[in-house]
């Protein structure tokens, strides 16, 4: 890549990246307000029910909650900045460590789901648009409307009921049977592939099938809708009409012009899809007992572990903001209209 | 645009909406939802069961006496679903109305004033859109404690920016329309222009977004209840019922099945209606679809 293109890209990247700072700051303000300002007495909550008045006051001074609110925010911001999210009341570990331990499981689940959603969603969307108003089109449209209407935690339970409890084809929950092998990358599927360990690969695949499929369904429905709309729009555009009039073969028009143009709009939906996956991960991980940050959030809700929930909120929000920044930058690079 | 003209346009839209199969199905589902909520005490076969405990009758499969079976306390699931429709409608309507009340005025102000104020307001709303809704809703609902009221609070606090963003974009493009410029030139006051002329012209996208938002809000509310952050027992809430049923699987499959199907149908109803409204009310998209 020459200097010229670097100089062209840099301002785009910077102009997008600059907005991340106030957005992240806003997110931190929200979690600060929720954890420190709104609860009547956050210290009493942290100290537990058995604590005496003296103990609560001692903890208040120790945690710095007796200081002015702005000073507290300064400390909070500094702590978040260096990655200190406090201790979990339940696991009694640093929340950052808890989250970091569990993140690979969520990444693995999210990536496999995204793969399923894209691999099924794009072909179905194209087929539906090309064979418009056929039986196939109607079926795909019903599935895509339904996929966005179904409560994913309910679908997860129904699939568990059918495939695990009744038919016994797939494991009910968890990420691995027994103890998982020592992991180098944190991603069990990738580990097994790198070690050519096909037994582990098969076990891991069986465990990930149901959660990944359930998690993928709303995203797949979204991708089908965007792809179908995108292909239809290009099919109806002037240049396709011109190519048809010129007598180009239909397959050339479809593969060389229509799909390439339509897919650009689908690619930009990946940020949105990622949000759906991240949001869905909380309930899907809870139902399938998948040891990721979603299950951690669920357990924290059950244990009323406030710090842990705010830590999860910051991480999930931060990851989402970062992924959208990348998508935004990629979009403005591949789409010349985006740079204007 | 004269207001009479707008009304006539809405009347035409209504006729098209009834003839459109998907929105017609959506309206039938939603009418059924409203009827079952309003007539719950009449339609329920065991209205008193919704809160009473009958341990002798617990976990019965569907039968002529109990259409959808009974739950862990021996309550009739069919009756509980009907009463659950009430809280579902209540949560969705209050959350969407509150989101409209916050989001639309901010969008109007930001879009009309533009400049620094507009920018600040939009950046503020962007912060809420920068996090997946359920994540922020969990944090809010957890802070305020589990209850239906706090679910509504969490949903409204996270959904309003969608309306702000929508209204902002519409107002920005309307501001350059000649009829708005003429009104400014004629010396009409800003509140008069915004309320009487800008707002009616952004109603269509607001209505479409509200319908889709109702479905979305119902799903999110059910998710919060499933996670234990919403309605508390013994209140009949669909998401809560599904989470209770998990202990009794695979035996009592009906316990989980019924509330899930209810959620699915209702959200489907709002989404189909929203799609139909989009085809009928949004002229830009209509042209695309009809080609």
């Amino acid at each position: 890549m020459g200097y010229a293109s670097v100089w062209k890209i840099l301002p785009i990247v910077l102009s997008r990246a600059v907005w991340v700072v106030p957005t992240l700051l806003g997110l931190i303000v929200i979690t600060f307000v929720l954890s420190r300002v709104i609860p009547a007495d956050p210290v009493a909550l942290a100290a537990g029910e058995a604590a005496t008045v003296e103990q609560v006051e001692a903890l208040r001074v120790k945690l710095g909650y007796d200081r002015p609110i702005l000073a507290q925010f300064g400390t909070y911001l500094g702590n978040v900045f260096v990655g200190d999210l406090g201790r979990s009341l339940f696991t009694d570990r640093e929340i950052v460590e808890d989250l970091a331990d569990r993140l690979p499981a969520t990444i693995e689940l999210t990536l496999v789901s995204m793969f399923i959603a894209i691999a099924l969603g794009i072909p179905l969307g194209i087929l539906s648009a090309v064979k418009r108003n056929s039986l196939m089109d109607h079926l795909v449209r019903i599935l895509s409307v339904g996929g966005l209407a179904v409560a994913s935690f309910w679908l997860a339970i129904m699939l568990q009921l059918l495939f695990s409890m009744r038919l016994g084809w797939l494991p009910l929950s968890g990420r691995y049977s027994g103890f998982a092998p020592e992991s180098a990358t944190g991603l069990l599927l990738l580990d097994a592939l790198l070690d050519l360990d096909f037994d582990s690969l098969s076990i891991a695949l069986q465990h990930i099938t149901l959660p990944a499929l359930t998690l993928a369904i709303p995203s797949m429905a979204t991708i089908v809708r965007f792809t179908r709309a995108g292909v239809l729009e290009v099919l109806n555009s002037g240049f396709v009409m011109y190519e048809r009039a010129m007598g180009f073969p239909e397959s050339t028009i479809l593969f060389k012009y229509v799909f390439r143009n339509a897919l650009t709009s689908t690619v930009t939906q990946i940020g949105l899809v990622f949000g759906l996956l991240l949001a869905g991960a909380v309930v899907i991980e809870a139902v399938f007992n998948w040891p990721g940050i979603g299950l951690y959030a669920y357990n924290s809700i059950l244990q009323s572990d406030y710090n842990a929930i705010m830590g999860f909120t910051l991480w999930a929000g931060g990851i989402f903001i970062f992924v959208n920044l990348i998508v935004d930058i990629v979009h403005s690079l591949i789409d010349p209209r985006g740079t204007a | 645009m004269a207001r009479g003209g707008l009304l006539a346009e809405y009347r035409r839209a209504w006729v098209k909406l009834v003839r459109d199969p998907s929105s017609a199905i959506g309206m039938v589902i939603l009418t059924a939802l409203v009827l079952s909520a309003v007539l719950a005490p009449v339609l329920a076969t065991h209205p008193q069961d919704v809160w009473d405990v009958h341990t002798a009758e617990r976990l019965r499969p569907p039968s002529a006496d109990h259409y959808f079976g009974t739950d862990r306390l021996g309550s009739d699931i069919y009756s509980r679903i009907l009463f659950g429709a009430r809280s579902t409608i209540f949560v969705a309507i209050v959350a969407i109305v509150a989101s409209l009340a916050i989001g639309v005025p901010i969008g109007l102000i930001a879009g009309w004033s533009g400049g620094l104020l507009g920018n600040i307001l939009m950046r503020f709303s962007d912060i809420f859109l920068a996090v997946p809704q359920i994540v922020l809703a969990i944090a809010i609902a957890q802070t305020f404690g589990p209850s239906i009221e706090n679910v509504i609070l969490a949903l409204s606090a996270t959904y309003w920016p969608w309306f702000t963003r929508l209204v902002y974009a519409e107002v920005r493009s309307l501001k350059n329309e000649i009829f708005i410029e003429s009104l400014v030139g004629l010396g009409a006051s800003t509140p008069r222009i915004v309320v009487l002329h800008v707002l009616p012209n952004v109603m269509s996208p607001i209505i479409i977004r509200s319908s889709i938002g109702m479905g979305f809000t119902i799903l999110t509310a059910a998710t919060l209840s499933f996670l234990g952050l919403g309605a508390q027992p013994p209140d009949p809430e669909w998401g809560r019922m599904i989470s209770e049923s998990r202990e009794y699987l695979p035996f009592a499959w009906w316990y989980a099945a019924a509330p899930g199907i209810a959620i699915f149908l209702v959200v489907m109803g709002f989404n189909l209606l929203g799609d139909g409204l989009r085809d009928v009310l949004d002229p830009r998209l209509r042209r695309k679809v009809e080609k």
Side-chain angles (χ1 to χ4, degrees), chain A residues 8-196:
Chain A
K8 251 166 102 179
I9 291 167
L10 202 63
I12 299 171
V13 174
L14 284 180
S15 69
R16 297 295 193 278
V18 151
W19 284 116
V20 167
V21 178
T23 314
L24 274 177
L25 204 62
L27 179 62
I28 295 171
V29 171
I30 291 177
T31 56
F32 175 77
V33 169
L34 285 176
S35 54
R36 297 282 180 89
V37 182
I38 287 173
D41 194 346
V43 180
L45 274 175
E49 282 174 10
T52 63
V53 178
E54 290 78 20
Q55 282 171 325
V56 170
E57 287 315 309
L59 189 64
R60 192 186 309 280
V61 176
K62 188 183 159 213
L63 292 173
Y65 282 40
D66 55 334
R67 296 160 55 219
I69 204 85
L70 270 178
Q72 285 188 44
F73 180 69
T75 317
Y76 184 84
L77 190 64
N79 286 343
V80 171
F81 192 68
V82 297
D84 179 4
L85 300 175
R87 287 185 91 78
S88 158
L89 299 174
F90 181 57
T91 63
D92 198 31
R93 294 175 63 207
E94 288 293 324
I95 290 163
V96 172
E97 287 174 24
D98 277 345
L99 287 168
D101 281 354
R102 288 161 174 81
L103 190 62
T106 300
I107 290 179
E108 185 172 64
L109 181 63
T110 314
L111 286 180
V112 174
S113 292
M114 193 177 266
F115 173 77
I116 295 174
I118 292 174
L120 291 176
I122 290 182
L124 282 177
I126 291 177
L127 207 63
S128 180
V130 173
K131 306 252 176 223
R132 191 156 179 235
N133 285 330
S134 66
L135 182 67
M136 179 74 194
D137 180 29
H138 290 306
L139 274 178
V140 170
R141 286 175 74 187
I142 290 171
L143 280 179
S144 68
V145 176
L148 285 173
V150 71
S152 54
F153 58 89
W154 178 73
L155 186 67
I157 292 172
M158 290 292 121
L159 291 176
Q160 265 184 338
L161 180 62
L162 180 66
F163 290 105
S164 310
M165 296 176 181
R166 295 270 158 137
L167 298 171
W169 290 354
L170 290 165
L172 181 64
S173 64
R175 200 179 172 199
Y176 203 83
S177 316
F179 286 101
E182 195 65 32
S183 178
T185 60
L187 311 177
L188 294 183
L189 290 174
L190 190 62
D191 279 337
L193 271 177
L194 290 177
D195 296 345
L196 296 175

Side-chain angles (χ1 to χ4, degrees), chain A residues 19 23 27 34 38 132 146 148 151 153-154 157-158 161 165-166 225 279 283 287 298 304 306 309-310 320-321, chain B residues 123 127 130-132 134 139 142-144 219 223 226-227 242 246 249-250 256-257 260 264 267-268 275 289 291:
Chain A
W19 284 116
T23 314
L27 179 62
L34 285 176
I38 287 173
R132 191 156 179 235
L148 285 173
F153 58 89
W154 178 73
I157 292 172
M158 290 292 121
L161 180 62
M165 296 176 181
R166 295 270 158 137
R225 285 171 73 107
V283 278
V287 173
Y298 176 64
S304 292
Y306 294 90
I309 292 171
M310 293 309 152
F320 187 56
I321 291 169
Chain B
R123 290 280 90 83
I127 293 168
V131 187
I134 187 78
Q142 174 76 348
T143 303
F144 286 89
L219 265 187
T223 305
F226 176 77
L227 294 173
I242 296 175
R246 287 184 68 201
L249 290 176
F264 174 73
V267 177
M268 186 94 155
D275 281 357
V289 172
K291 252 185 194 167

Side-chain angles (χ1 to χ4, degrees), chain B residues 4-225:
Chain B
L6 262 181
L7 278 180
E9 177 145 323
Y10 281 130
R11 208 168 294 135
R12 275 195 297 278
W14 169 251
V15 174
K16 276 189 192 164
L17 206 56
V18 180
R19 288 188 185 149
D20 177 57
S22 70
S23 56
I25 297 173
M27 281 190 285
V28 169
I29 295 175
L30 297 179
T31 311
L33 171 74
V34 173
L35 282 181
S36 42
V38 173
L39 300 177
V42 184
L43 292 173
T45 48
H46 303 71
Q48 207 36 52
D49 264 24
V50 172
W51 291 276
D52 280 1
V53 177
H54 303 276
T55 30
E57 293 277 310
R58 64 197 294 265
L59 299 175
R60 292 278 170 87
S63 65
D65 193 27
H66 299 287
Y67 301 147
F68 299 161
T70 66
D71 69 4
R72 58 176 184 171
L73 299 175
S75 305
D76 181 53
I77 294 178
Y78 166 71
S79 305
R80 282 177 69 83
I81 297 265
L82 289 178
F83 279 92
R86 295 186 157 189
S87 76
T88 300
I89 293 187
F90 177 72
V91 169
I93 290 182
V94 178
I96 290 298
V97 168
S99 304
L100 284 168
I102 308 166
V104 173
I106 295 182
L108 284 174
I109 294 170
W112 186 262
S113 62
L116 185 64
L117 177 65
N119 233 323
I120 291 174
L121 288 175
M122 291 317 290
R123 290 280 90 83
F124 179 65
S125 75
D126 276 353
I127 293 168
F128 288 85
L129 292 176
V131 187
Q133 192 200 12
I134 187 78
V135 173
L136 208 51
I138 287 174
I140 295 173
Q142 174 76 348
T143 303
F144 286 89
S147 75
I148 285 274
E149 291 76 18
N150 292 338
V151 165
I152 295 175
L153 178 79
L155 292 171
S156 329
T158 48
Y159 203 75
W160 66 268
W162 289 103
F163 288 113
T164 301
R165 182 180 265 197
L166 183 82
V167 171
Y168 174 81
E170 294 285 331
V171 174
R172 292 311 288 171
S173 68
L174 264 182
K175 237 190 136 178
N176 299 322
E177 295 279 334
I178 292 173
F179 81 99
I180 295 289
E181 281 179 9
S182 317
L183 285 164
V184 176
L186 283 168
S189 69
T190 303
R192 186 185 172 89
I193 300 177
V194 171
V195 174
L196 289 184
H197 300 277
V198 174
L199 189 58
N201 280 292
V202 298
M203 277 318 281
S204 292
I206 291 178
I207 292 171
I208 297 166
R209 185 33 103 169
S210 300
S211 177
I212 293 168
M214 294 278 274
F216 195 75
T217 302
I218 288 172
L219 265 187
T220 314
T223 305
L224 288 174
S225 290

